[in-house]
Each structure stands twice: as structure tokens, then as C-alpha cells.
């Protein structure tokens, strides 16, 4: 059951003698009807791809193979039930796919049940054969990792390693996932299969140190790779399966050790336990690792001999012995925080952001590299990537050279000149190279074309759009190509926006306008359909609003991605000063100056951080924003309600006395991103200050509703709300109905 107060609000609204309800208008339904593909994967030994798709609430797994790449549906989940699919993998030979069905637990251990099923929810591992055999459930689990040979899927649970044999009749309790495959002291996880599936590498974390271990499937034997006193992590295999690379950081020094101990001579409590005095003057961060510029005394801060704090190790699987092939420099600020590495051909590659842009770098897997080689140059971020089957070529998506789109590039993992593969006005993401080396699967979209599984020839030939095939109903929708608009805030910060102008806009007309603010804030809206699910939908909704006659502007405010580290790490944002709102109000005032906008009819909408900024706009500038739709927003930064506290002054509710504009509030009470209490607190203040609001609440649902028909209900209500309070502003009343 969905709890909603919109009907009550509407009846009271009409009873108050204000505007009548809006007459029926064109629905958003065809705009958000096309299926949305995600989790695109490709097989290493055959030209086959697989992906997950959300199709009006129905979630299924699909595949397609050369030469015609005809779509085949592998699962038959037919209900709009909110049960998500994720963690898709495909075997090297393309015969098998595994995936997770069901959500992950929230901090209280609860799996979301958006359809309020009295049986509760689960997270289960499923398998399907690409020859059309019906998919089947293996059992409960999280983050499954399928062996490349397609025989076994492994996963970690409660610090131990379990597995399922990928047959319908597993022979014993280990193959059925009932008994651990590997049961060891420590928190065991970070699973990585060898290329032939004969071995499984993992990390065993043990309080003040960790090991990289390798489990031999046939022998049922475990070997540790060069065990020591440090933190080893991130195992990654060479293509031949004979070597494994991993990162090594110093173990925890005395001053940071926080173990409880038992009080004995040999097992006292750690000096750092319970804020112990031994930890003072230190810090050292995770594992007691020395931070750049900090003194290293071995007691409170740790480093390797020579003063460096990170090394790449390569171990020989046969002997377990390892050699250091690269390390950072003492007090290194450029390569101090590398979190993961990938064995790629004869190189080890990794991500870092030393200056303005996220880049990928390479060092030799046999040593000899002092300064890592930059692989991905240009003024743009690297956002998704994949390797060729032999690991020698890196394919990646970036906005270098086209800041408000994404295109695919390639470069040799050992270093060399990067080459752009795709270009133009489309957006391409998530490259999945095919085994033949002649084609690349990507997810691509355009300004008026939603995201599709696409086969792109590496020689630059014509693309083949595989899924979804667009219906006549969608093709009949009125869509426009947005234009990039640069606006400068009052403090001089310049930011990008996408402006959607209605097709039927005539010279001399003044239209109502709507601002959209994205969430995150680590997001960027593009000049086309987005590669993330909600923002793909939000782009479609903005197209729909433009078709309804609104001038729509999507604002890429400071603290978002796509424009460099300085823009993303802008000063005084959020609870430290709310500086990003300067961009939103600048965008609103820009719209008011346009000859085609009625300055008295500007609204705003957004979800999550977009809800934050919607509430800010309505509270601080009801003179500019005459109505808004606040979806799952944060309204109080931190936990202080002291009016002198900067976090409170940065919160929307600090300006509640100025909030005059009506608002549609939408939230779900199993939100794992924003506490539902943020909505409760806002509504209590709106009531107390006699601010008109309408409310939609979905019990058991999450941050973004997992059920399609609820999106349709929300946007239908939003259509009516904006019509009454923005389009027909002159006749609207803001008298409270509470």
C-alpha cells in the first residue's frame, strides 16, 4: 500500500476556492517507457555480450552474439515488483551468466521490500545459460564472483568464503553454499579467480595486518603470498595465471593498535583502544600508515625502510615469494592513496587524481618504473573502462574534448598515444571489447535517443543499435536537443547548464520555466540521455516538461563531477556554507532575464541533493522560485539546531520563516541514502509555518522508488502541481491546507 496525502491536499485545495484541478495532459509514460540497459559485460573467448535491463519495472537479463547480435531474453521476471538485479558476470566462453536478485541490506540488516511482501526480501544468486535454458536460483549470497570457466560462483558471507557449483544438482553442502568453501580466522573477502578458474585469491584481514592468500580448488589447499606484518590488499592476476600482484602498506604501529586484549602479559590492550593516551600525537590514518608530510617514528606513524608508504608486490604462485616492483616516494602526495591495481598485460595499471583530472597510470610488472606512465591524457575525467582479452589495451570513456558528453578512447596498457574511437553528438559509456578485437560493445545515447546496447566497429564504421528497439510510441514524442548554457554565479564561479526549449515556442512568447537540480552531488547532467538510471529518467522527464510548454534548465552546480577536482571540491559547500546554492539562484535569475521566460513563473525540482537544493530555493528565494518538488531531500545538515552554528545556517530550515512557495514533498521510508526523518522534520516545520505542501510517501520503498508505477504516479502528481502553481500562477493561492 502506498501512503499518499495528495488526494486530501487536492480536495482541501479545491474546497478553499482556489484553482480547479488541471485538465488531463499528455502523460510522461512514453518518455520513460524505453527499457534501460546496464551492467554490460562481454565474454573473453567469443563475441557475446550480456546485460541487465529495467523495462517499466520488469527487470531481466539479456544476451546477444555475433554475427547478427539478436537480443535473447534469458529470464522471465514479469512483475513490477521492485526486486533489483545486479552483479552480472559472464563466463569466458559466453555459455553462462550469473547475477544477484534482490537488494543489499541497509545498516540495520534489512533488505528492502518495496512491494511490502509479507514474506520479506532476500538477496540470492541466480544462474542462466545463454542457450535459452531457464534461469534458476542457487541460494542466498552477496557480491557473487563467477569463475572464468563458468563452473563455480564464490562469495563472502560473515567473513568466510562460500561457493555454489553451477549445476542444478550440486553434490554436497559446500557446492550448495551451506558450508564454507574456505573457513579461516579473519575477515576474508575481495575474491579474485585465476584466469583458468583453478584458483581463488582473496584477502584475509586480521586486525593490525592482512594477507593475500590463494586457494587451490582441486587440492583444497591455501598458500599465503609472502606473508608479513603489513596490510596486503587488492590481488589481481596475470593473464597466464602464474603471478599475482597486490598492494602493500605498513602494518599498524603500537600507537594506533586498538585491540581489546585480555589483560595478560602477552596480550595487553592496544594503546589506541578507547582513545588511549598512546594514540595521541599520532593519527596515521588507516592501519597507522604515515601520511604525507608527517613525521615517521615507527611508534605512532609507520613507513617502510626508506620512508615510503605504498608498494606494488608481484608474487610467484608456485613459490609464494614476492618482489616489490614499484613504490611511491617519501612524503608523496601524488601517489599516496592508490586503492586498487589491475594486472594488464605486462603492466600494472591504476587510477589516481594528482591534479585536476582522474587519470590512469601504468608501471612495469617486472620493475624498473620510477615515475608511473600517464595513460589517459587530456582535460577530462576517466569514468568507465575495460581491458582487451589479452590485457594489453585499455578502453575507457572520458569527457576530454567534449566536456558535456562521453566518448570512448583506447591506449596500450604499457604506455603510448591514446586514440579516440567514438566522437560526435552521441554519448558512449561502459566499453566491453569483443574477443575478435574488431568490435566494441558500449551503452550509447543521444540528445533524443535513450541509452541502447550498441555494437561499434573499431575501424569507425556504422553502429548497430541492439537493445532496446524503440517503439513508435516513443518515436512520436516531442523531444529537443538541449543547448549548453554557461552562467556565472555572484562570486564568479562559472557553471554549465542544459537548456531545453519547447519546439512550439514562438517569438515574443513568455513561457513558464522549470529548473532541475541533479543529486549526488557527485554527478553531471549531459547533453543527452544519461548513463545512470535515475538521471536517464530525469533527462526524459525534462524532455517531457519541455513538450508541455515549459522552458527547462538542468543545472550542473559546483561540487559536481566532469569539470575537474577544483570544481568538485569547491569550498564551503553543503553544511560548510551552502555555496553551491549560489549557482542555483544564479540559474533562476538567469531564466528571469530571458525574453522567452515569464519571470514570475519559475519552478524547481530535484531528488536527493536535488531535493536539498529545491528546499534551499523555496526557503531562501520564494521571490524567484514560486513552487517546487522536493524529492528525498536533506533539510538539516548535521545535528545542530543552534542558529549560530554554520551547519544550521547552511540548512534550508534555517530560512523557514521566508518559505512562502508551495511544495510537493515526496519520500520513501526505507531510504538508505537520506533518513526519512529529514522529511518528517521538514513537514512539521511546514505545518508550523503555515506553508502549503502536498505529500507523497511510499512505505518500505527506497531512495529512488524501485516500482515503476510509482514513478508514473509521482510525475502525474507533479504535472498537476506544476500546472496549478507555476503554469497558472496568477490564479493560484498559496494558502496552507494544514
Amino acid at each position: 500500500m502506498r501512503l499518499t496525502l495528495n488526494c486530501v491536499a487536492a480536495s482541501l485545495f479545491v474546497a478553499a476556492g482556489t484553482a480547479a484541478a488541471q485538465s488531463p495532459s499528455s502523460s510522461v509514460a512514453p518518455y520513460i517507457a524505453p527499457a534501460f540497459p546496464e551492467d554490460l559485460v562481454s565474454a573473453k573467448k567469443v563475441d557475446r555480450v550480456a546485460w541487465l535491463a529495467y523495462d517499466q519495472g520488469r527487470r531481466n537479463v539479456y544476451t546477444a552474439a555475433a554475427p547478427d547480435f539478436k537480443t535473447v531474453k534469458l529470464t522471465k521476471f514479469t512483475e513490477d515488483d521492485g526486486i533489483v538485479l545486479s552483479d552480472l558476470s559472464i563466463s569466458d566462453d559466453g555459455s553462462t551468466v550469473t547475477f544477484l536478485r534482490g537488494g543489499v541490506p541497509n545498516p540495520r540488516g534489512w533488505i528492502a521490500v518495496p512491494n511490502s511482501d509479507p514474506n520479506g526480501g532476500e538477496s540470492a544468486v541466480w544462474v542462466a545459460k545463454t542457450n535459452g535454458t531457464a534461469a534458476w536460483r542457487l541460494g542466498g549470497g552477496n557480491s557473487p564472483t563467477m569463475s572464468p570457466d563458468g563452473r563455480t560462483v564464490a562469495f563472502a558471507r560473515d567473513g568466510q568464503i562460500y561457493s555454489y557449483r553451477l549445476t542444478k544438482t550440486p553434490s554436497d553442502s559446500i557446492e550448495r553454499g551451506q558450508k564454507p568453501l574456505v573457513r579461516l580466522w579473519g575477515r576474508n573477502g575481495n575474491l579474485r579467480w585465476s584466469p583458468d578458474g583453478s584458483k581463488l585469491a582473496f584477502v584475509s584481514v586480521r586486525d593490525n595486518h592482512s594477507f593475500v592468500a590463494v586457494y587451490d580448488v582441486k587440492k583444497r589447499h591455501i598458500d599465503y603470498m609472502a606473508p608479513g606484518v603489513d596490510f596486503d590488499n587488492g590481488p589481481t592476476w596475470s593473464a597466464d595465471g602464474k603471478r599475482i600482484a597486490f598492494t602493500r602498506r605498513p602494518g599498524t604501529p603500537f600507537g594506533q593498535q586498538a585491540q581489546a586484549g585480555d589483560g595478560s602479559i602477552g596480550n595487553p590492550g592496544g594503546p589506541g583502544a578507547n582513545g588511549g593516551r598512546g594514540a595521541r600525537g599520532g593519527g596515521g590514518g588507516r592501519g597507522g600508515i604515515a601520511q604525507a608530510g608527517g613525521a615517521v617514528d615507527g611508534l605512532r606513524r609507520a613507513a617502510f625502510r626508506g620512508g615510503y608508504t605504498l608498494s606494488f608486490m608481484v608474487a610467484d604462485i608456485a613459490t609464494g615469494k614476492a618482489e616489490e616492483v614499484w613504490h611511491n616516494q617519501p612524503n608523496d602526495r601524488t601517489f599516496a592513496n592508490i586503492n586498487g591495481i589491475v594486472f594488464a598485460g605486462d603492466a600494472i595499471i591504476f587510477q589516481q587524481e594528482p591534479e585536476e583530472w582522474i587519470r590512469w597510470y601504468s608501471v612495469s610488472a617486472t620493475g624498473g618504473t620510477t615515475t608511473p606512465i600517464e595513460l589517459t591524457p587530456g582535460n577530462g575525467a576517466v569514468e568507465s573502462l575495460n581491458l582487451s582479452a589479452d590485457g594489453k589495451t585499455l578502453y575507457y570513456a572520458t569527457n576530454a574534448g567534449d566536456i558535456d558528453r562521453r566518448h570512448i578512447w583506447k591506449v596500450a596498457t604499457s604506455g603510448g598515444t591514446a586514440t579516440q574511437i567514438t566522437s560526435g553528438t552521441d554519448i558512449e559509456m561502459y566499453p566491453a571489447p569483443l574477443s575478435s578485437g574488431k568490435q566494441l560493445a558500449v551503452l550509447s545515447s543521444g540528445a533524443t535517443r535513450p541509452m541502447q546496447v550498441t555494437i561499434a566497429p573499431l575501424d569507425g564504421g556504422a553502429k548497430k543499435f541492439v537493445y532496446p528497439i524503440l517503439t513508435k510510441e516513443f518515436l512520436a514524442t516531442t523531444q529537443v536537443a538541449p543547448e549548453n548554457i554557461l552562467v556565472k554565479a555572484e562570486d564568479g564561479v562559472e557553471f554549465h547548464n542544459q537548456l531545453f526549449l519547447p519546439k512550439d515556442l514562438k517569438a515574443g512568447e513568455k513561457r513558464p520555466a522549470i529548473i532541475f537540480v541533479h543529486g549526488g552531488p557527485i554527478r553531471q547532467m549531459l547533453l543527452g540521455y544519461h548513463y545512470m538510471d535515475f538521471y536517464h529518467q530525469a533527462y526524459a522527464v525534462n524532455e517531457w516538461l519541455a513538450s508541455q510548454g515549459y522552458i527547462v534548465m538542468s543545472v550542473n552546480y559546483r561540487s559536481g563531477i566532469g569539470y575537474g577536482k577544483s570544481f568538485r571540491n569547491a569550498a564551503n559547500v553543503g553544511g560548510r556554507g551552502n555555496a553551491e546554492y549560489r549557482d542555483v539562484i544564479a540559474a533562476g535569475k538567469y531564466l528571469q532575464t530571458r525574453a522567452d521566460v515569464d519571470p514570475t513563473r519559475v519552478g524547481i525540482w530535484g531528488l536527493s541533493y536535488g531535493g536539498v537544493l529545491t528546499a534551499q530555493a523555496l526557503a531562501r528565494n520564494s521571490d524567484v522560485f514560486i513552487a517546487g518538488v522536493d524529492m528525498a531531500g536533506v533539510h538539516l545538515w548535521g545535528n545542530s539546531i543552534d542558529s549560530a552554528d554554520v551547519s544550521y545556517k547552511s540548512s534550508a530550515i534555517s530560512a523557514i520563516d521566508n518559505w512562502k512557495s508551495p511544495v510537493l514533498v515526496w519520500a520513501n521510508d526505507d531510504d538508505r541514502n537520506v533518513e526519512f526523518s529529514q522529511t518528517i522534520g521538514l513537514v512539521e516545520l511546514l505545518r508550523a509555518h503555515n506553508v502549503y505542501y502536498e505529500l507523497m510517501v511510499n512505505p518500505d520503498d527506497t531512495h529512488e522508488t524501485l516500482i515503476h508505477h510509482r514513478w508514473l504516479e509521482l510525475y502525474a502528481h507533479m504535472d498537476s502541481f506544476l500546472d496549478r502553481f507555476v503554469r497558472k500562477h496568477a490564479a493560484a493561492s498559496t494558502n496552507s491546507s494544514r
Side-chain angles (χ1 to χ4, degrees), residues 158-180:
D158 300 326
Q160 304 303 318
I161 300 172
Y162 291 78
S163 68
Y164 290 117
R165 190 68 169 171
L166 299 184
T167 67
K168 289 191 175 181
T169 56
S171 61
D172 58 32
S173 57
I174 291 179
E175 292 187 352
R176 290 192 292 270
Q178 298 168 340
K179 181 180 177 180

Side-chain angles (χ1 to χ4, degrees), residues 35 50 100 136-137 143-144 176 195 237 255 259 302 373 403 443-444 494 516 525 707:
L100 198 65
W136 69 95
R137 178 186 179 278
S143 301
R176 290 192 292 270
W237 291 88
Q259 67 273 13
I373 300 167
I403 202 73
L443 297 185
S444 76
E494 190 174 62
F516 169 73
M525 297 304 289
I707 296 180

Side-chain angles (χ1 to χ4, degrees), residues 313-324:
M313 308 295 294
V314 174
D316 179 89
I317 298 300
T319 66
K321 295 180 179 180
E323 294 184 356
E324 181 183 273

Side-chain angles (χ1 to χ4, degrees), residues 334-362:
T334 301
F335 299 109
N337 299 307
I338 298 167
N339 293 319
I341 59 175
V342 179
F343 218 132
D346 297 320
I348 295 171
I349 64 174
F350 59 92
Q351 176 184 294
Q352 193 64 314
E353 189 182 28
E355 296 171 347
E356 277 298 301
W357 302 103
I358 295 172
R359 304 193 189 285
W360 276 75
Y361 294 84
S362 171

Side-chain angles (χ1 to χ4, degrees), residues 136-453:
W136 69 95
R137 178 186 179 278
L138 293 171
N142 277 308
S143 301
T145 303
M146 181 170 58
S147 59
D149 58 14
R151 296 179 179 179
T152 307
V153 62
F155 60 97
R157 182 170 63 203
D158 300 326
Q160 304 303 318
I161 300 172
Y162 291 78
S163 68
Y164 290 117
R165 190 68 169 171
L166 299 184
T167 67
K168 289 191 175 181
T169 56
S171 61
D172 58 32
S173 57
I174 291 179
E175 292 187 352
R176 290 192 292 270
Q178 298 168 340
K179 181 180 177 180
L181 175 71
V182 175
R183 185 173 182 271
L184 290 175
W185 174 51
R187 299 182 302 280
N188 302 295
N190 201 348
L191 313 180
R192 297 290 185 271
W193 285 101
S194 64
D196 64 359
S198 66
K199 296 178 177 66
L200 179 66
F202 61 95
V203 177
S204 186
V205 180
R206 304 184 178 188
D207 295 334
N208 297 313
H209 67 288
S210 62
F211 299 132
V212 167
V214 174
Y215 169 74
D216 188 303
V217 175
K218 186 175 181 179
K219 296 179 180 178
R220 283 195 52 78
H221 178 76
I222 292 171
D223 288 305
Y224 293 96
M225 300 293 103
V229 299
D230 300 308
F231 280 97
D232 295 345
N233 200 6
T236 175
W237 291 88
S238 63
D240 60 9
K242 294 181 179 180
R243 294 174 294 166
I244 194 165
F246 55 92
T247 61
R248 174 165 286 179
R249 297 179 184 273
T252 310
F254 277 121
Q256 294 299 308
Q257 292 179 8
Q259 67 273 13
D262 62 13
S264 66
I265 294 175
N267 190 14
N274 301 317
R277 295 168 63 183
R280 295 182 183 178
R286 179 182 173 188
I289 300 164
Q291 300 300 295
V296 177
D297 60 8
L299 184 64
R300 295 174 178 83
R301 295 179 183 272
F304 296 115
R305 186 169 294 173
Y308 60 91
T309 58
L310 168 68
S311 65
F312 294 171
M313 308 295 294
V314 174
D316 179 89
I317 298 300
T319 66
K321 295 180 179 180
E323 294 184 356
E324 181 183 273
V325 299
W326 178 85
H327 64 74
N328 67 354
Q329 298 301 310
N331 300 319
D332 188 348
R333 294 182 180 275
T334 301
F335 299 109
N337 299 307
I338 298 167
N339 293 319
I341 59 175
V342 179
F343 218 132
D346 297 320
I348 295 171
I349 64 174
F350 59 92
Q351 176 184 294
Q352 193 64 314
E353 189 182 28
E355 296 171 347
E356 277 298 301
W357 302 103
I358 295 172
R359 304 193 189 285
W360 276 75
Y361 294 84
S362 171
V363 300
S364 171
T366 57
T369 306
T370 302
T371 301
I373 300 167
E374 182 181 293
L375 298 178
T376 58
N379 292 329
V382 176
E383 207 164 0
S384 65
L385 63 140
N386 215 325
L387 291 171
S388 59
D390 62 8
K392 295 183 178 181
T393 303
L394 174 68
Y395 297 92
Y396 63 97
T398 179
N399 63 342
D402 197 351
I403 202 73
D404 291 309
R405 297 186 179 89
R406 303 288 187 271
H407 299 301
I408 308 300
W409 292 58
K410 70 174 182 177
V411 66
T413 54
S414 59
T417 302
T419 304
Q420 187 168 355
I421 297 174
T422 64
S423 60
T425 58
D426 280 354
I427 292 164
E428 297 93 13
M429 281 285 288
Y430 307 114
L434 301 184
S435 65
S436 63
K438 298 178 181 180
Q439 296 172 304
L440 189 71
V442 297
L443 297 185
S444 76
S445 67
T448 60
R449 178 176 63 84
M451 196 62 72
Q452 293 176 286
V453 175

Side-chain angles (χ1 to χ4, degrees), residues 408-652:
I408 308 300
W409 292 58
K410 70 174 182 177
V411 66
T413 54
S414 59
T417 302
T419 304
Q420 187 168 355
I421 297 174
T422 64
S423 60
T425 58
D426 280 354
I427 292 164
E428 297 93 13
M429 281 285 288
Y430 307 114
L434 301 184
S435 65
S436 63
K438 298 178 181 180
Q439 296 172 304
L440 189 71
V442 297
L443 297 185
S444 76
S445 67
T448 60
R449 178 176 63 84
M451 196 62 72
Q452 293 176 286
V453 175
T454 305
I455 305 300
L458 289 174
D459 63 5
K463 299 175 183 176
K464 179 179 178 63
F465 301 119
V466 175
Y467 176 93
I469 303 302
L470 300 178
T471 64
K472 291 181 179 179
E473 182 183 27
F474 174 79
L475 295 173
T477 59
T478 302
Q479 297 191 79
V480 297
E483 59 181 289
N484 182 52
I485 299 291
L486 291 175
V487 177
K488 188 172 289 186
E490 63 177 1
D491 60 355
V493 172
E494 190 174 62
F495 56 96
H496 290 235
N497 310 266
Q498 294 82 45
L499 185 71
F500 300 75
L501 295 176
K503 277 191 172 181
D504 62 352
L505 182 63
K506 297 180 176 61
E509 280 190 296
K510 286 186 176 292
R511 294 290 186 92
I514 301 290
I515 277 182
F516 169 73
V517 270
H518 65 70
I522 312 299
R523 302 285 184 269
Q524 178 194 19
M525 297 304 289
L526 307 174
L527 290 169
Y529 276 86
H530 206 273
Y531 52 88
M532 293 179 66
D533 50 4
F534 171 73
Y535 301 104
H536 186 272
Q537 183 186 105
Y539 182 93
V541 171
N542 287 335
E543 287 278 10
W544 167 65
L545 289 171
S547 77
Q548 299 304 297
Y550 297 97
I551 290 175
V552 181
M553 192 157 85
S554 179
V555 179
N556 281 331
Y557 52 89
R558 73 189 77 179
S559 72
I561 63 169
Y563 307 107
K565 184 193 292 187
S566 299
F567 189 83
R568 190 185 73 241
N569 294 339
N572 303 320
V573 297
R576 301 185 301 277
N578 191 36
E580 69 276 34
Y581 178 64
R582 293 178 179 179
D583 304 338
V584 177
I585 184 59
K589 290 181 177 180
Y590 162 79
L591 285 176
Q592 288 185 314
T593 67
R594 287 183 61 94
D596 49 12
V597 170
D598 180 345
T600 69
R601 294 189 292 165
V602 178
I604 186 169
W605 79 285
L607 179 143
S608 193
Y609 215 100
V612 171
L613 291 169
T614 295
Q616 295 278 5
L618 301 178
R620 300 184 188 280
N621 287 102
S622 282
D623 58 328
V624 175
F625 301 99
I626 61 170
V629 180
D630 173 357
M631 302 160 61
V634 175
H635 311 108
L636 172 64
W637 292 120
N639 56 14
S640 174
I641 54 175
D642 182 347
S643 61
D645 191 283
V646 65
S647 65
Y648 182 78
K649 290 191 289 185
S650 302
S651 303

